[in-house]
Amino acid sequence: MTGGLPDEETVSLHQDVLHGSARVAREGTPLLRSDVSGRTEKSVIDVPLPLADVERPETVRVLHVDDDPDVGEVTAMFLERINEDFDVVTETTVVAGLEHLQSGDVDCVVSDYQMPSTDGLEFLELVREQFPDLPFILYTGRGSEEIASEAIAAGVTDYMQKGSGTDTYEVLANRVENAVEQYRTQQQFWTALSWYQRLVEQELAGVFIVQNLEFVYVNTKLADLFDRGQHDLVGESPMTLVADADRVAVRENIARLEDREDETLEFEFTGVCADGSTFPVEVQGGAINYDGAPAWIGILRDLSDEG
């Protein structure tokens, strides 16, 4: 969709969406905050950001590092047989593994623990220095609580002991798949967050959230478009900005989102400024959860600037 809001999934933005993300630890809870003057009960509004419903790649690129080439070959064979979307590359040294990480896209690292010159924990620490959130599964024949504890402290995504049966590879494949899904969700979220921050902070478009047919958030750009103050709009019906002739159609669009009949929508209407002047606008929006209840977020653009 050009120049507007990406298609969205309905999400409730909680910390578990980004559980285990090193970026969260560095940057804190990923919410936009906006101070709105004139509020008597809540002067700071938390703005949840929906995940962009983008098409994810089907191939899962796995880097397997094990000093035993036979183990590497067998593991790659089973993983690719269990999940046809897996593309497994095996390296026999940590140096080769690091070189592969630098030269190509990798979705998940699966590493042995005991290897010549170094071990899986040292490899994990080296990977974390450059790729803080990349899924890393320590897959080892030597298991102990001490190793597991050190791996967790170093930021391992998962820890698993090798087994002799084929069921072991089924479990490993499942853990790789889950780790990659979580990782891609995190990356998708940060992309959406960056996109909304540009819209809100740089005021590239009017941004708002509607809940129970009232504005619970508007950015400065939207308020300025209608020559109103943010505090004047929060708590008001969006119908106050709509020309009489378009109110029925706009109300129907909002109702479909509120009732979850549609998850996204796009429509145009005639906007009304504080002084009664009008201008054509386009709205693109999607359903979200806001403070634990259904709502919808929208992007509003002034079409008169494009005429």
Side-chain angles (χ1 to χ4, degrees):
M1 187 175 296
T2 303
L5 180 72
D7 292 338
E8 303 168 16
E9 299 172 1
T10 303
V11 298
S12 180
L13 191 60
H14 298 296
Q15 193 68 15
D16 58 357
V17 174
L18 299 176
H19 176 69
S21 171
R23 189 168 180 180
V24 168
R26 294 193 303 272
E27 303 184 16
T29 304
L31 293 176
L32 293 180
R33 289 182 174 272
S34 175
D35 291 318
V36 179
S37 60
R39 302 294 305 276
T40 57
E41 297 180 358
K42 188 177 182 183
S43 61
V44 177
I45 299 174
D46 290 344
V47 183
L49 303 174
L51 299 177
D53 186 16
V54 298
E55 183 177 352
R56 301 190 185 188
E58 294 184 0
T59 301
V60 175
R61 297 152 299 194
V62 180
L63 170 62
H64 180 220
V65 179
D66 195 302
D67 61 299
D68 187 332
D70 292 334
V71 171
E73 182 179 350
V74 171
T75 301
M77 178 188 69
F78 273 103
L79 288 179
E80 292 180 344
R81 181 180 298 173
I82 292 167
N83 190 326
E84 61 182 13
D85 292 332
F86 284 179
D87 180 10
V88 183
V89 173
T90 299
E91 301 289 356
T92 55
T93 67
V94 167
V95 172
L98 290 171
E99 289 177 350
H100 183 81
L101 282 171
Q102 296 291 346
S103 63
D105 293 330
V106 175
D107 296 306
C108 183
V109 177
V110 176
S111 175
D112 187 23
Y113 175 73
Q114 285 186 308
M115 293 180 285
S117 302
T118 186
D119 60 35
L121 289 178
E122 293 176 345
F123 181 33
L124 169 61
E125 292 173 357
L126 291 170
V127 170
R128 283 291 171 259
E129 290 177 1
Q130 302 179 58
F131 308 96
D133 293 318
L134 183 68
F136 190 109
I137 299 175
L138 194 61
Y139 181 54
T140 174
R142 179 186 172 187
S144 72
E145 291 184 5
E146 181 181 357
I147 294 175
S149 178
E150 290 180 9
I152 292 171
V156 75
T157 307
D158 209 340
Y159 173 87
M160 181 178 169
Q161 285 188 250
K162 295 178 181 177
S164 57
T166 57
D167 290 347
T168 299
Y169 299 108
E170 293 276 359
V171 175
L172 178 59
N174 181 258
R175 294 193 181 188
V176 169
E177 185 177 350
N178 290 339
V180 172
E181 177 66 21
Q182 176 74 5
Y183 174 67
R184 288 177 173 175
T185 297
Q186 291 174 3
Q187 300 307 304
Q188 184 179 331
F189 175 89
W190 287 112
T191 298
L193 174 61
S194 175
W195 191 85
Y196 273 103
Q197 284 179 321
R198 289 197 302 273
L199 281 178
V200 175
E201 295 173 2
Q202 298 179 22
E203 298 187 354
L204 302 179
V207 181
F208 62 90
I209 296 177
V210 171
Q211 188 175 59
N212 297 323
L213 297 180
E214 292 183 355
F215 287 119
V216 293
Y217 169 80
V218 297
N219 72 340
T220 304
K221 177 67 172 180
L222 186 138
D224 290 345
L225 283 173
F226 292 91
D227 195 24
R228 299 170 188 256
Q230 285 178 281
H231 63 278
D232 295 326
L233 290 176
V234 173
E236 292 294 321
S237 167
M239 293 300 110
T240 60
L241 305 181
V242 181
D244 291 342
D246 294 335
R247 287 192 172 188
V248 172
V250 171
R251 193 174 287 112
E252 289 176 351
N253 280 306
I254 294 176
R256 285 201 299 272
L257 275 177
E258 292 270 344
D259 296 338
R260 290 299 201 264
E261 293 180 17
D262 293 329
E263 294 299 329
T264 61
L265 84 168
E266 177 179 352
F267 61 91
E268 297 179 9
F269 68 90
T270 301
V272 181
C273 296
D275 61 4
S277 60
T278 62
F279 65 102
V281 297
E282 177 188 67
V283 170
Q284 297 168 352
I288 61 171
N289 285 334
Y290 179 80
D291 280 351
W296 68 285
I297 189 169
I299 305 298
L300 184 146
R301 294 192 302 120
D302 181 357
L303 297 180
S304 62
D305 294 337
E306 302 175 10

